[in-house]
Amino acid sequence: MFFASVKLSVYTLVVLAVTSIIGTIVLQNGSPQAYIKLYGEGGYNLIKVLGIDDMYQAWWYLGLLLLLCINIVVCSIERLTKTWKILFPKKISVNPNRFAGSKNRQNIEWSNGGGKDNAEVSAACKAFLSKRVGRVIEVETNEGKVLYAEKGRWTRLGVYVVHASVLLLLAGALIGAVFGFKASLRLDEGQSADTVFDSKTRMPIKLPFTIRCNDFHVKFYDTGAPEEFRSNLTISEGGKESFTKDIRVNHPLRYKGINIFQASYGTASPNEAVFEITDTLTQKGGVYTIKTGDSVELPGGQGTFKFEGFLPHFDFRGHNLGDAFFGRVAVTGKESVQIALPTKFPTFDKMRKGQFTVVVKSFDQAHYTGLQVTKDPGVWYVYAGFLLMIIGCWVTFFMSHQSVCIGLEDNRAGGGPRVWISGKSNRNAQGMTLKIKKLANILKES
């Protein structure tokens, strides 16, 4: 049967491993320009057709995961019927010859039990075996009888627990890919939103609650690098506030299966700013508080200055100067000039050497918080899968189905019976040999 083939499992795992390497090397969820720059127009078209730009959610990758799931289920069912007969036999059969001829057989030389008769030795061995291994079965033989006990028959299910864990891991990945999302949201301080935007498609996703950013705080090192940034968020439902919580990097907010991570931050556009405008010829000037989109007269009534807006990133000759205000100086009789006023360099406009220079005096510093909002309904399947895998691997590699047999053979020379002990295990034969030697030593001293 095709789906019961072990080769299918191997081939599928190899393909998944190779494609996962490709997904690690190739940029994921990048822009078309980035792919064209890296791989050219033809490479970009191939990447889009195969879905390698978002490979872990590509239909063919999810199809491989589904194929592996079906393969594991079919293989497990096919082999479970044989294992089931071993786990739950109608009658436990004992083959004394199989144990008598075992390489780990140990003959017992009694140190103080020479005076015991067959019944006493048998009772002592039965009690010993019952205590050390499990329920004892007695089988009569031509030479005497054997006492048989076993434990760990259920450990043969360990491999099926591992199979189940892999299925849960794959199911979690599939559920997360199909029903989950990864989105982003930008909120200015005081702003609320109940819609986020998919990180790849930019399609809106409605949330079952509203997020409001009450406050944003950033703390810097002496070097100017950010040490910590924190957002104070309020969650509201049905127009009523549910709770308020601070989030930081690696300390997300989790609510109703949705995770809200602190991802980034930036300077929000101020509504107004204070500018000083000076006539470089007369050195006359004034200080003006201007709202975005408004204009004021230049000193001497020689034109106007309009505050046009704000950009979080201003590039000047290949250098990012950070936040910057933009305005337009229109001197009467001359063509208007757009000027940039980086907040980190308030006197930047003086380099222009125009008749009028504009200097940023002050503004209300506001920030926006960049949030990553994710939903992964398959994560609990993944957690359960990891837990089952740990249990299954422990059972599979560190536990085994062990059978121990003690033989009591009639001693024709008189005295107590000759006694031997041996055992079998479905794995770790060397460990079983050491255990039989240990049991033999304990039995000799009993």
Side-chain angles (χ1 to χ4, degrees):
M1 185 178 177
F2 175 74
F3 288 110
S5 170
V6 177
K7 289 184 178 180
L8 177 63
S9 302
V10 175
Y11 293 150
T12 306
L13 287 170
V14 169
V15 173
L16 283 170
V18 172
T19 52
S20 295
I21 293 173
I22 295 174
T24 303
I25 296 173
V26 176
L27 175 68
Q28 298 291 295
N29 299 312
S31 65
Q33 294 79 10
Y35 289 111
I36 292 173
K37 182 179 179 180
L38 289 170
Y39 309 109
E41 190 76 33
Y44 169 66
N45 292 333
L46 180 62
I47 287 171
K48 289 300 291 183
V49 169
L50 297 178
I52 299 177
D53 57 332
D54 190 16
M55 198 191 73
Y56 301 109
Q57 293 191 10
W59 64 268
W60 57 267
Y61 190 85
L62 298 179
L64 284 172
L65 294 179
L66 182 60
L67 177 62
L68 184 59
C69 287
I70 295 172
N71 179 233
I72 291 173
V73 170
V74 174
C75 285
S76 298
I77 292 174
E78 185 180 58
R79 288 160 178 77
L80 184 59
T81 53
K82 297 178 181 178
T83 305
W84 198 260
K85 293 178 181 179
I86 297 174
L87 291 172
F88 304 102
K90 294 180 179 179
K91 182 180 179 181
I92 298 177
S93 59
V94 182
N95 182 1
N97 294 329
R98 179 168 170 261
F99 290 91
S102 175
K103 292 181 179 180
N104 62 23
R105 169 173 166 165
Q106 296 288 313
N107 294 316
I108 308 300
E109 299 295 337
W110 298 99
S111 60
N112 58 1
K116 294 181 179 179
D117 59 23
N118 288 9
E120 290 176 325
V121 173
S122 177
C125 290
K126 185 175 181 179
F128 172 83
L129 198 56
S130 177
K131 180 181 178 181
R132 299 283 176 174
V133 183
R135 186 173 66 89
V136 177
I137 298 174
E138 295 187 34
V139 178
E140 298 293 335
T141 66
N142 295 330
E143 291 80 15
K145 67 178 175 179
V146 295
L147 305 176
Y148 172 85
E150 63 178 0
K151 68 176 182 179
R153 187 180 285 265
W154 62 271
T155 60
R156 293 177 180 270
L157 288 174
V159 66
Y160 298 97
V161 175
V162 175
H163 287 180
S165 71
V166 174
L167 288 175
L168 281 174
L169 290 172
L170 296 176
L174 288 169
I175 291 171
V178 175
F179 300 105
F181 63 78
K182 180 190 287 186
S184 58
L185 175 64
R186 169 181 161 165
L187 285 177
D188 293 346
E189 291 177 285
Q191 186 180 10
S192 300
D194 62 358
T195 302
V196 295
F197 298 89
D198 188 275
S199 298
K200 181 184 178 184
T201 65
R202 303 307 302 166
M203 293 296 292
I205 300 172
K206 187 81 170 178
L207 298 177
F209 50 81
T210 299
I211 308 172
R212 183 177 75 242
C213 177
N214 303 309
D215 180 57
F216 180 84
H217 176 75
V218 59
K219 183 178 175 183
F220 296 93
Y221 290 107
D222 294 337
T223 60
E227 178 182 355
E228 178 189 72
F229 41 101
R230 169 177 50 81
S231 297
N232 181 262
L233 304 179
T234 293
I235 302 298
S236 302
E237 290 184 276
K240 297 182 180 179
E241 293 185 3
S242 298
F243 63 92
T244 298
K245 181 179 179 180
D246 286 346
I247 67 167
R248 293 170 289 140
V249 176
N250 298 326
H251 293 80
L253 184 156
R254 306 182 192 277
Y255 186 62
K256 289 193 171 181
I258 294 175
N259 309 303
I260 304 173
F261 296 89
Q262 180 70 69
S264 63
Y265 74 94
T267 303
S269 177
N271 293 324
E272 63 179 25
V274 179
F275 300 93
E276 181 181 45
I277 305 175
T278 304
D279 185 336
T280 58
L281 299 179
T282 63
Q283 296 302 312
K284 293 182 178 180
V287 177
Y288 309 87
T289 300
I290 312 174
K291 291 186 177 181
T292 304
D294 289 351
S295 301
V296 296
E297 282 193 354
L298 296 173
Q302 300 182 59
T304 60
F305 169 71
K306 182 179 181 181
F307 175 22
E308 293 185 323
F310 176 88
L311 283 178
H313 303 287
F314 169 56
D315 185 76
F316 179 72
R317 296 178 181 176
H319 299 280
N320 182 11
L321 301 186
D323 309 328
F325 293 99
F326 280 81
R328 187 169 293 275
V329 177
V331 180
T332 304
K334 295 182 180 180
E335 186 177 353
S336 64
V337 178
Q338 187 181 55
I339 61 172
L341 306 168
T343 59
K344 294 180 180 178
F345 308 97
T347 61
F348 181 82
D349 187 51
K350 291 183 178 181
M351 294 193 303
R352 184 172 55 89
K353 296 182 180 180
Q355 181 182 348
F356 294 91
T357 60
V358 183
V359 175
V360 179
K361 299 297 291 183
S362 65
F363 62 96
D364 291 333
Q365 182 75 60
H367 291 92
Y368 70 82
T369 180
L371 305 175
Q372 184 181 77
V373 184
T374 66
K375 180 181 180 181
D376 187 358
V379 67
W380 292 109
Y381 293 89
V382 174
Y383 290 158
F386 277 122
L387 179 61
L388 271 186
M389 181 165 287
I390 292 171
I391 295 172
C393 288
W394 177 265
V395 172
T396 300
F397 295 108
F398 297 99
M399 302 181 74
S400 60
H401 176 197
Q402 298 178 353
S403 304
V404 179
C405 189
I406 296 179
L408 295 93
E409 298 178 353
D410 295 331
N411 188 351
R412 296 178 181 178
R418 292 193 300 267
V419 181
W420 54 264
I421 182 171
S422 70
K424 295 289 184 181
S425 174
N426 66 324
R427 65 174 61 90
N428 191 10
Q430 184 60 34
M432 191 63 192
T433 298
L434 295 175
K435 181 173 182 176
I436 292 299
K437 288 181 179 179
K438 180 179 178 181
L439 291 175
N441 290 330
I442 296 173
L443 190 57
K444 288 176 183 178
E445 300 299 325
S446 63

